[in-house]
Amino acid sequence: MATKDPTAVERANLLNMAKLSIKGLIESALSFGRTLDSDYPPLQQFFVVMEHCLKHGLKVRKSFLSYNKTIWGPLELVEKLYPEAEEIGASVRDLPGLKTPLGRARAWLRLALMQKKMADYLRCLIIQRDLLSEFYEYHALMMEEEGAVIVGLLVGLNVIDANLCVKGEDLDSQVGVIDFSMYLKNEEDIGNKERNVQIAAILDQKNYVEELNRQLNSTVSSLHSRVDSLEKSNTKLIEELAIAKNNIIKLQEENHQLRSENKLILMKTQQHLEVTKVDVETELQTYKHSRQGLDEMYNEARKQLRDESQLRQDVENELAVQVSMKHEIELAMKLLEKDIHEKQDTLIGLRQQLEEVKAINIEMYQKLQGSEDGLKEKNEIIARLEEKTNKITAAMRQLEQRLQQAEKAQMEAEDEDEKYLQECLSKSDSLQKQISQKEKQLVQLETDLKIEKEWRQTLQEDLQKEKDALSHLRNETQQISSLKKEFLNLQDENQQLKNIYHEQEQALQELGNKLSESKLKIEDIKEANKALQGLVWLKDKEATHCKLCEKEFSLSKRKHHCRNCGEIFCNACSDNELPLPSSPKPVRVCDACHALLIQRCSSNLP
């Protein structure tokens, strides 16, 4: 058998303990149904387990006096990685009773649980493994996958509400020992749990009834306040009605006064109308007399109008003649304008032709300059050729002198000299031909050289472009390689995040199942409470003696409610259980109700 790595076994044990503590804490908190205090045992054990998990694989830091091994160092890192955690760090440092780093770390864990952000803070730490490697060994729980699993489980603690007093606690000197007896289940523990559940249900019912009573009291007080406000408003309305009646009486008196004043005004207006009628009649008579004079004036004005209309017709005829003359002048002007426009167009065409001729002249001048340059080059070539011919003629003269000397010296070899001259002439012709051919070859070589120079320049430019392209491609390849590395790192991070996500999903599914079970239990309790709403539950403070045996209640003789009648009895008088119509499950019933219910059942039977 291959031996297992002890550090791996330690990590697995711590992970299992963390699972058990978180699971037990969530279950007990949901059944408890209230905010948790610092004295709650499952919560204390959870902090002890978390302390052991964070301590696993811590590096020992040497100081002058002793060796230092605390979890406060990695927890301080959270402030740099997660800005919202600065508030926790500052509040932990400001606490007066804390003297050791371990006490600060314990206070930090309690504040993070109250904020419901412990999972977020620890997730930031796990992601930054480079920074964690300064505090932890490579085989530590926080550096391995188990740390990510625990962080995923911590998300479920957001369901819990905790109210922890950190100031008064002595966190420096606490001994963190895991109590395994809490997680080892016996038959007695199971029975105790059931009893605790029943007690919690009874307490919840009691709290529910008390809350209902409080709500009813609040509604009654609100109704009283409304009645008072309505009475006050009613008195105000009565006062306003009295004021309105007084105003109506005053308005009626004013109306009578106005009517009397209106009658007086009507009388005065009638008198004024009679006077105005007399005045109008006199004015009509005067108007008739004046109209006769106006008719005579009108006839005279009509005659004058006729004369003026004749004059106007004559003037209009003259105007028509002038208008026709004006139209003829306008037509002549238009024709002149057309001629002017045509002449302007011809002038523009001539100017364009002149510009074209100028352009042709300029081109011809440029061509002339080019031809002159060509002529200069040709003259230079001719001068070179003339120099070469002069050299040849000088050589010929030298040859002729030699020939003359040879004629003088050797008269006998004239035939041979003539042959020799003919051969020289033929050679000179062939030399001239060779010279012309070489000149042509020179010209071709010069043109080839120019072409080669241009080709070399183009090649150099292409080479430079290719070098630039190569350098650009090298930069791109370097960028691509860096991007590949980043992509691979991102893939690894993505894989890690996926694993964390799957683990968190599993944890959330488990929490969802537990929450659904707790919701079903709560609905059952609500149904039972609805059935019990009609009953009158006696308060614990009101009952001091048992209703049946009339014995006084004490620590040994505890109080118990009957689910049927709502009265309070001792355990001996209410140790019966029967299913009621309100709840199908068997519940506690007193002896009297038990006997009555059995009689009813027997009477209902045939």
Side-chain angles (χ1 to χ4, degrees):
M1 290 290 287
T3 57
K4 289 185 178 180
D5 186 10
T7 55
V9 174
E10 285 176 4
R11 288 198 301 272
N13 289 335
L14 286 168
L15 177 62
N16 291 324
M17 281 308 302
K19 283 181 180 177
L20 285 168
S21 65
I22 292 164
K23 186 179 177 183
L25 181 60
I26 292 164
E27 286 177 354
S28 60
L30 289 170
S31 64
F32 193 55
R34 284 190 287 271
T35 54
L36 304 179
D37 299 326
S38 56
D39 297 330
Y40 195 58
L43 188 62
Q44 290 176 352
Q45 284 299 308
F46 164 72
F47 286 125
V48 172
V49 172
M50 281 304 299
E51 191 177 327
H52 278 280
C53 291
L54 289 167
K55 278 182 180 178
H56 184 261
L58 261 176
K59 286 182 180 178
V60 178
R61 292 196 170 189
K62 292 180 181 179
S63 63
F64 289 108
L65 299 171
S66 63
Y67 293 100
N68 190 9
K69 189 178 180 181
T70 58
I71 56 171
W72 178 239
L75 292 178
E76 269 189 314
L77 267 177
V78 178
E79 294 178 32
K80 296 175 184 177
L81 302 172
Y82 204 89
E84 291 179 13
E86 290 178 2
E87 192 177 342
I88 289 182
S91 57
V92 167
R93 289 188 199 92
D94 293 337
L95 285 171
L98 300 176
K99 296 176 182 178
T100 61
L102 185 61
R104 291 191 195 97
R106 286 169 178 168
W108 190 92
L109 288 170
R110 280 156 176 75
L111 290 171
L113 182 69
M114 280 196 283
Q115 274 194 348
K116 298 184 180 181
K117 286 189 177 180
M118 189 186 283
D120 298 332
Y121 295 154
L122 293 177
R123 190 182 292 111
C124 290
L125 267 179
I126 287 166
I127 290 164
Q128 301 293 331
R129 291 192 178 180
D130 297 333
L131 297 171
L132 273 179
S133 61
E134 294 178 7
F135 301 96
Y136 288 101
E137 301 288 344
Y138 69 93
H139 58 78
L141 186 135
M142 294 295 285
M143 298 289 285
E144 296 292 334
E145 293 178 358
E146 287 85 352
V149 175
I150 288 167
V151 170
L153 292 168
L154 288 171
V155 177
L157 295 176
N158 295 338
V159 181
I160 296 166
D161 293 322
N163 187 8
L164 308 174
C165 184
V166 184
K167 280 186 180 178
E169 276 194 89
D170 185 14
L171 298 172
D172 293 326
S173 60
Q174 281 183 5
V175 181
V177 180
I178 298 169
D179 187 9
F180 290 99
S181 62
M182 289 182 71
Y183 308 110
L184 299 170
K185 293 182 180 178
N186 296 323
E187 291 180 0
E188 292 177 1
D189 295 336
I190 293 161
N192 288 326
K193 275 191 178 180
E194 289 177 357
R195 285 173 195 166
N196 289 329
V197 169
Q198 288 176 359
I199 289 160
I202 291 160
L203 287 167
D204 290 334
Q205 288 172 1
K206 181 189 169 187
N207 291 326
Y208 179 69
V209 171
E210 286 177 355
E211 283 178 4
L212 277 172
N213 195 8
R214 282 173 198 161
Q215 287 176 1
L216 287 167
N217 287 326
S218 64
T219 50
V220 166
S221 61
S222 64
L223 286 167
H224 279 305
S225 62
R226 280 185 183 177
V227 166
D228 293 334
S229 63
L230 286 167
E231 284 176 354
K232 286 176 183 177
S233 61
N234 196 6
T235 52
K236 284 179 183 178
L237 287 167
I238 289 162
E239 289 173 358
E240 287 175 358
L241 254 174
I243 292 159
K245 282 179 181 177
N246 293 325
N247 289 328
I248 287 161
I249 292 160
K250 286 177 183 178
L251 289 165
Q252 283 175 353
E253 289 174 356
E254 287 176 0
N255 195 3
H256 287 301
Q257 287 176 1
L258 288 166
R259 280 180 181 175
S260 59
E261 286 175 0
N262 196 4
K263 284 176 182 178
L264 290 168
I265 290 159
L266 279 168
M267 292 289 287
K268 285 178 182 178
T269 49
Q270 283 176 357
Q271 290 173 1
H272 187 68
L273 278 167
E274 288 174 357
V275 172
T276 50
K277 273 183 182 179
V278 173
D279 293 333
V280 166
E281 285 175 356
T282 52
E283 283 176 358
L284 269 168
Q285 288 174 0
T286 54
Y287 175 72
K288 284 176 181 176
H289 290 297
S290 61
R291 191 169 180 183
Q292 289 176 359
L294 286 166
D295 287 334
E296 291 174 357
M297 293 282 287
Y298 177 71
N299 290 321
E300 288 177 0
R302 205 168 182 186
K303 287 177 183 177
Q304 287 178 359
L305 248 175
R306 284 174 187 169
D307 297 332
E308 284 178 357
S309 61
Q310 285 178 358
L311 286 166
R312 191 177 177 185
Q313 282 179 357
D314 296 333
V315 170
E316 282 178 354
N317 291 324
E318 287 178 359
L319 260 171
V321 172
Q322 287 178 0
V323 166
S324 61
M325 290 286 286
K326 191 178 180 183
H327 282 302
E328 288 175 358
I329 290 159
E330 283 176 356
L331 286 168
M333 286 291 288
K334 284 178 182 178
L335 289 168
L336 284 167
E337 282 176 359
K338 281 182 183 178
D339 292 333
I340 288 159
H341 284 303
E342 285 173 358
K343 285 174 181 178
Q344 282 177 352
D345 292 329
T346 52
L347 275 167
I348 289 159
L350 288 167
R351 281 175 184 170
Q352 286 176 354
Q353 287 175 3
L354 264 169
E355 285 174 357
E356 287 172 357
V357 168
K358 281 179 182 177
I360 292 160
N361 284 328
I362 289 158
E363 285 176 0
M364 291 294 287
Y365 181 73
Q366 287 173 356
K367 285 177 182 178
L368 256 172
Q369 283 181 347
S371 62
E372 281 176 358
D373 293 329
L375 273 169
K376 284 177 182 177
E377 287 175 359
K378 285 176 182 178
N379 287 324
E380 286 173 0
I381 293 160
I382 288 160
R384 287 174 190 170
L385 289 168
E386 281 177 354
E387 286 176 0
K388 286 178 182 178
T389 48
N390 289 324
K391 287 177 182 177
I392 291 161
T393 50
M396 287 290 288
R397 283 171 187 172
Q398 287 176 1
L399 288 168
E400 283 175 357
Q401 286 174 1
R402 286 176 185 175
L403 281 168
Q404 284 175 4
Q405 288 173 3
E407 282 175 354
K408 288 177 182 178
Q410 293 177 353
M411 289 294 287
E412 294 175 353
E414 283 179 355
D415 296 327
E416 289 177 1
D417 289 331
E418 285 174 2
K419 289 177 182 178
Y420 182 75
L421 280 167
Q422 286 175 0
E423 285 174 1
C424 285
L425 288 165
S426 63
K427 281 179 182 179
S428 66
D429 292 327
S430 63
L431 283 166
Q432 281 180 354
K433 287 177 182 177
Q434 285 176 2
I435 287 159
S436 62
Q437 286 175 0
K438 284 179 180 178
E439 284 175 352
K440 288 176 182 177
Q441 286 175 0
L442 272 168
V443 173
Q444 286 178 357
L445 286 165
E446 284 176 355
T447 53
D448 292 331
L449 274 167
K450 284 179 183 177
I451 291 159
E452 279 180 0
K453 280 180 181 177
E454 290 173 356
W455 184 60
R456 278 184 184 176
Q457 285 176 356
T458 53
L459 281 171
Q460 282 177 353
E461 288 173 358
D462 292 330
L463 273 167
Q464 191 63 35
K465 285 177 183 177
E466 283 177 358
K467 282 178 182 177
D468 294 332
L470 267 170
S471 62
H472 185 65
L473 287 166
R474 280 174 187 167
N475 292 326
E476 283 181 350
T477 50
Q478 287 175 359
Q479 287 175 0
I480 287 159
S481 62
S482 64
L483 284 168
K484 275 184 181 177
K485 287 176 184 176
E486 287 177 1
F487 179 70
L488 290 168
N489 291 327
L490 286 168
Q491 276 186 339
D492 294 332
E493 286 178 2
N494 190 11
Q495 191 65 35
Q496 288 174 3
L497 288 168
K498 279 182 181 176
N499 294 328
I500 292 163
Y501 175 72
H502 288 306
E503 288 166 1
Q504 287 176 356
E505 271 191 340
Q506 288 175 0
L508 285 168
Q509 282 177 358
E510 289 175 3
L511 277 170
N513 294 325
K514 286 171 186 173
L515 284 168
S516 62
E517 288 174 4
S518 63
K519 278 183 182 176
L520 289 168
K521 287 178 183 175
I522 289 159
E523 285 174 359
D524 293 335
I525 290 160
K526 282 181 180 177
E527 287 175 359
N529 284 330
K530 283 178 185 176
L532 291 167
Q533 276 178 3
L535 300 173
V536 177
W537 285 74
L538 281 174
K539 292 182 180 179
D540 291 340
K541 293 176 182 177
E542 291 176 0
T544 56
H545 293 77
C546 178
K547 186 97 185 237
L548 287 174
C549 65
E550 294 182 352
K551 289 180 181 179
E552 192 176 359
F553 292 118
S554 63
L555 289 169
S556 60
K557 202 174 270 297
R558 295 182 69 187
K559 299 175 184 178
H560 296 282
H561 276 90
C562 177
R563 299 295 187 275
N564 190 30
C565 63
E567 297 289 336
I568 296 170
F569 302 90
C570 65
N571 189 26
C573 298
S574 63
D575 58 346
N576 306 303
E577 285 187 353
L578 277 176
L580 295 174
S582 60
S583 64
K585 294 179 182 178
V587 291
R588 187 182 282 273
V589 180
C590 68
D591 292 341
C593 292
H594 185 261
L596 280 167
L597 289 166
I598 287 165
Q599 282 179 3
R600 283 177 192 172
C601 289
S602 60
S603 63
N604 287 329
L605 288 168

